Amino acid sequence: MVDSLQKLALRLRGTVEFDVPLARYTTYRIGGPAAALVIPESTEDVVEVLKFCNDAAIPSLALGHGSNVLVSDAGFAGVVVRVGKGMDWLEEGVDGPEVWQAGAGVPTPRLARITARAGLSGIQRLIGVPGTVGGGVVMNAGAHRQNFSQTVRSVEIVDSDWKVRTIAGSEIQWRYRSSGIENAIVTAATFEFGRADPNVLERDIQRHFEWRRKGTPFDEPCCGSVFLNPQGAGQHSAGQLIDAAGLKGFRVGAAQVSQKHANYIVNLGGATASDVKAVIDGVRERVLAGFGVELQLEVRLIGDEEQA
Ligand SMILES: Cc1cc2nc3c(=O)[nH]c(=O)nc-3n(C[C@H](O)[C@H](O)[C@H](O)COP(=O)(O)OP(=O)(O)OC[C@H]3O[C@@H](n4cnc5c(N)ncnc54)[C@H](O)[C@@H]3O)c2cc1C
């Protein structure tokens, strides 16, 4: 694989590295090695890589900022396509002043900040979501009643047949923290924003940012909320259930349910994916036993943890 990937690298604008510890590329700071990690610089690069993986029967996986993943300690035996820097271009006013296009590697907080300053509303409350546009689309990331589904007009993807396609926002199967986009790499998204006074948007950002700063363990490696909130009228949030089960501070190895936010499991330093998985299993068991609720994962498991 190394030889053929080295040949592929010559055809790419981006870079290819081998045997790369994924802990470097996740906000958890956890994860074993990827056989190879490609950092593409264009949609054409993504097409080339997916075509190569298909021909060589090697698994591939898209990664953004790694802020919603738990990568197994064994890592990923394939090619990780890290869509970030290199695909972080931004084009303003592509179809009228309120319509902007962003490369999938643009950090969501950057998009939130720049559009708010330009007097464009719709994404400003995602200022504290530390992922990319690509990861945000795939996860339908959201906060404080704003989410990607509300502003995405269309998405450019490279599908599993390495065809570049544009999907209208209205065709995407948006759900709470999901878009139904699987087996494809998002390369860009077009957004349609509303209009608002930049000062009002700045105050909105400050208010939500302050709320977040107080309520989340920003200083400890984590993946944000680990579990989806149970849906349905009158349901308690996952955090409320975990807290009510007395699990704040519950710890295995160096992974711990945060004292600050019960739906966060933090890496106290040197935690393994197995530690985090053991905390996840313990939380699920106790919440099921205590309240009859089966918590579902928001975090995406990568590597052999997928089968766990
Ligand atoms: C401190 C903290 C706070 C958070 N707060 C929130 C919050 O308020 N709301 C919220 O919704 N989330 C939150 N998150 C979770 C996370 O930031 C979001 O889900 C984010 O949108 C993930 O983007 P990413 O680029 O990091 O994706 P990754 O974590 O890299 O990937 C997530 C999933 O998307 C896939 N993926 C990533 N990029 C692409 C691409 N270009 N094409 C195809 N598939 C792709 C991956 O394969 C994986 O399945 C938080 C995380 C942290 C660490």
Side-chain angles (χ1 to χ4, degrees):
M1 171 160 83
V2 173
D3 281 356
S4 44
L5 265 166
Q6 268 161 350
K7 280 187 202 134
L8 169 75
L10 298 173
R11 302 205 298 273
L12 302 181
R13 280 173 56 197
T15 56
V16 184
E17 279 180 75
F18 300 96
D19 198 22
V20 180
L22 289 174
R24 274 194 220 148
Y25 290 94
T26 68
T27 55
Y28 247 138
R29 302 282 168 259
I30 291 174
L37 182 117
V38 174
I39 302 190
E41 292 207 357
S42 64
T43 299
E44 292 69 38
D45 276 2
V46 174
V47 171
E48 286 285 346
V49 176
L50 290 190
K51 192 167 182 323
F52 166 85
C53 289
N54 185 72
D55 291 348
I58 297 170
S60 63
L61 172 86
L63 196 65
H65 280 174
S67 63
N68 202 46
V69 292
L70 176 63
V71 177
S72 79
D73 299 315
F76 181 73
V79 176
V80 169
V81 183
R82 210 270 179 155
V83 179
K85 217 165 169 43
M87 294 191 64
D88 55 350
W89 49 270
L90 201 52
E91 216 178 313
E92 304 177 12
V94 290
D95 183 18
E98 283 92 23
V99 181
W100 288 29
Q101 198 178 26
V106 171
T108 298
R110 186 174 140 221
L111 187 64
R113 169 74 63 200
I114 292 179
T115 51
R117 281 194 187 135
L120 298 171
S121 67
I123 206 166
Q124 74 276 3
R125 293 180 184 170
L126 305 190
I127 190 81
V129 177
T132 59
V133 162
V137 167
V138 169
M139 296 303 304
N140 189 18
H144 316 291
R145 296 187 307 285
Q146 286 186 344
N147 60 52
F148 272 73
S149 74
Q150 296 160 347
T151 44
V152 168
R153 189 199 254 197
S154 64
V155 173
E156 181 190 89
I157 62 162
V158 181
D159 67 20
S160 48
D161 295 333
W162 355 287
K163 298 263 180 335
V164 181
R165 290 202 295 130
T166 300
I167 323 173
S170 56
E171 287 172 52
I172 296 174
Q173 308 292 306
W174 299 111
R175 303 256 187 288
Y176 163 56
R177 297 296 173 267
S178 121
S179 62
I181 298 175
E182 305 280 346
N183 303 318
I185 296 191
V186 175
T187 44
T190 303
F191 294 84
E192 187 162 359
F193 298 108
R195 274 267 159 221
D197 179 338
N199 295 318
V200 171
L201 293 173
E202 180 56 31
R203 282 199 293 279
D204 201 33
I205 284 180
Q206 289 307 330
R207 198 172 57 246
H208 288 100
F209 200 72
E210 187 52 22
W211 181 90
R212 219 161 231 279
R213 206 182 49 76
K214 281 193 194 135
T216 51
F218 263 136
D219 46 344
E220 288 164 310
C222 67
C223 70
S225 292
V226 171
F227 300 100
L228 294 167
N229 286 320
Q231 299 297 287
Q235 285 281 9
H236 291 291
S237 69
Q240 285 168 336
L241 293 169
I242 298 165
D243 194 3
L247 288 164
K248 270 189 173 171
F250 170 58
R251 176 175 174 175
V252 177
Q256 185 180 48
V257 174
S258 166
Q259 299 280 6
K260 218 169 185 182
H261 188 319
N263 199 6
Y264 279 46
I265 297 172
V266 295
N267 174 0
L268 297 171
T272 61
S274 306
D275 292 342
V276 178
K277 192 68 190 20
V279 174
I280 287 174
D281 291 345
V283 166
R284 275 177 148 170
E285 266 168 40
R286 298 263 291 269
V287 168
L288 182 62
F291 308 105
V293 177
E294 270 187 60
L295 290 176
Q296 304 297 323
L297 288 181
E298 175 176 328
V299 63
R300 302 276 185 106
L301 304 181
I302 291 178
D304 62 6
E305 300 284 347
E306 278 167 307
Q307 277 83 51

